[in-house]
Amino acid sequence: MEELDREKLLPSNFRIQLVGNFNREVLEEIEHSGIKEMIQILPQMEHRKAIEAMLRTDALILIINSSSPYGTLTSKIFEYLRLARPILAMVPRNKEAAELLMECGVETICPMESVGSIKQCLIKLVDDRGNAVQRSTALEAYERGKQVAELMQRLQKMVELRGFE
């Protein structure tokens, strides 16, 4: 962010809003960054208000540490995909979260440890600003109702194969 600001590649009204409770180390890191005036910390809010706030943003940030084990999927991924907002996904490229995001058409995926990759993704998000994001039809396969129906079919098949009643 600092590099992009220095290179005048960010819009003048560029802001980052972080919602929730943050530990002292994070707050100190923000305070000592060269971009603290761009960052606004909002207190934790009820879910409905958070969704409304997310719908008003130009992009959402998703962070999953590279040391997280394969299979780390948070409900936030599905929530973000349903909102059909651009996503800056700072997630490991070779793990399940990135696979799901790519399947759903998210192109701005980079490891959180790579400043260069984050910079390129941010440039793409700024350049694509205003372009509509289509809700991926791939997401339908992960909807709760469809998942429950699929589980029910599998259980019924097991019962039939094993002769349970």
Side-chain angles (χ1 to χ4, degrees), residues 118-138:
I118 294 169
K119 185 177 175 180
Q120 291 308 310
C121 286
L122 281 168
I123 289 169
K124 179 166 181 35
L125 285 171
V126 168
D127 289 347
D128 290 349
R129 199 175 32 160
N131 295 340
V133 173
Q134 299 297 316
R135 183 171 178 211
S136 172
T137 56

Side-chain angles (χ1 to χ4, degrees), residues 9-11 18 21 25 27 36 44 47 69-70 81-82 97 99 107 110-111 120 131 133 135 143 149-150 153-154:
L9 295 174
L10 294 176
L18 302 173
N21 301 315
E25 290 83 14
L27 297 174
K36 69 179 182 178
Q44 194 166 355
H47 190 254
Y70 186 85
L81 289 169
R82 272 194 310 274
E99 291 171 13
E107 297 175 356
C110 55
Q120 291 308 310
N131 295 340
V133 173
R135 183 171 178 211
E143 290 178 350
E150 186 178 313
Q153 286 177 347
R154 288 181 181 190

